[in-house]
Amino acid sequence: MSEERLRFLRSRIRDIPDFPKEGILFRDITPLLADVEAFRTSIQLIVEGLAGEPVQAVIGIESRGFMFGAALADKLGVGFVPVRKPGKLPSATYRAEYDLEYGSDAVEIHRDALNPGDRVVVVDDLIATGGTAEATAQLVHQCGAEVAAFAFVINLVGLEGTKKLEPHKVISILDY
Ligand code: AMP
């Protein structure tokens, strides 16, 4: 990964203090999405991180994981599977819950979204505590499939979210 490409991508991430609530420094990826060179570079770096590892599907986590996940699926020539917040998917689903700072949340996948034995890459824009990604891995397992790798554009390293995903392969482009 060349330093120049990483500097360029970093320049397309906008910091928004106190969003969505006080004390959170929100890493806004919309300038990256709006810049075709930056968007393509982010997808290319994930492809390079996969290093030819064969996958049968890309899983995108609602909602910013959909943008990167769909573009990655197209690039890899495989299908895209959405993981969504509860109550959004219309057919029969599996559900996995995860803890938040206060309370808990859940994610869902269609029961027939994957084939048993499929190897998949799970994509989101950013990993913070890793709770959402870990719950998504549980959904993949409930489908009888396996996580070949996780991929994130941004890793908030101080929160050590990637520890929750061990021993899986984790691709992350920018550390914050
Ligand atoms: P977590 O489950 O804690 O890893 O949280 C990851 C999810 O929360 C991702 O879908 C992110 O888009 C979102 N998120 C958490 N913290 C931030 C942040 N500082 N800036 C932008 N998005 C965030």
Side-chain angles (χ1 to χ4, degrees), residues 24-27 64 98 124-133 156:
I24 305 282
L25 181 55
F26 192 86
R27 308 293 182 175
R64 278 163 274 148
Y98 58 99
D124 205 353
D125 66 326
L126 179 148
I127 178 165
T129 66
T132 319
L156 302 186

Side-chain angles (χ1 to χ4, degrees), residues 99-155:
D99 292 332
L100 297 175
E101 201 176 343
Y102 302 102
S104 68
D105 210 341
V107 282
E108 294 182 345
I109 194 169
H110 272 147
R111 289 181 177 227
D112 61 358
L114 298 171
N115 295 309
D118 276 355
R119 290 177 60 75
V120 305
V121 53
V122 173
V123 181
D124 205 353
D125 66 326
L126 179 148
I127 178 165
T129 66
T132 319
E134 189 185 26
T136 300
Q138 286 174 28
L139 296 178
V140 171
H141 295 147
Q142 287 181 76
C143 291
E146 276 176 56
V147 177
F150 292 91
F152 308 97
V153 178
I154 295 170
N155 178 13

Side-chain angles (χ1 to χ4, degrees), residues 67-108:
M67 301 151 187
F68 294 100
L72 179 67
D74 177 59
K75 187 87 178 173
L76 294 176
V78 300
F80 173 81
V81 173
V83 157
R84 301 206 63 182
K85 305 279 163 58
K88 300 281 189 181
L89 289 169
S91 191
T93 55
Y94 293 119
R95 166 191 285 240
E97 302 203 347
Y98 58 99
D99 292 332
L100 297 175
E101 201 176 343
Y102 302 102
S104 68
D105 210 341
V107 282
E108 294 182 345

Side-chain angles (χ1 to χ4, degrees), residues 11 27 31 35 40 56 65-66 87 110 118 123 129-130 153 171 173:
S11 75
R27 308 293 182 175
D35 182 322
R40 279 188 184 147
Q56 282 76 50
F66 292 174
H110 272 147
D118 276 355
V123 181
T129 66
V153 178
I171 300 160
I173 304 174

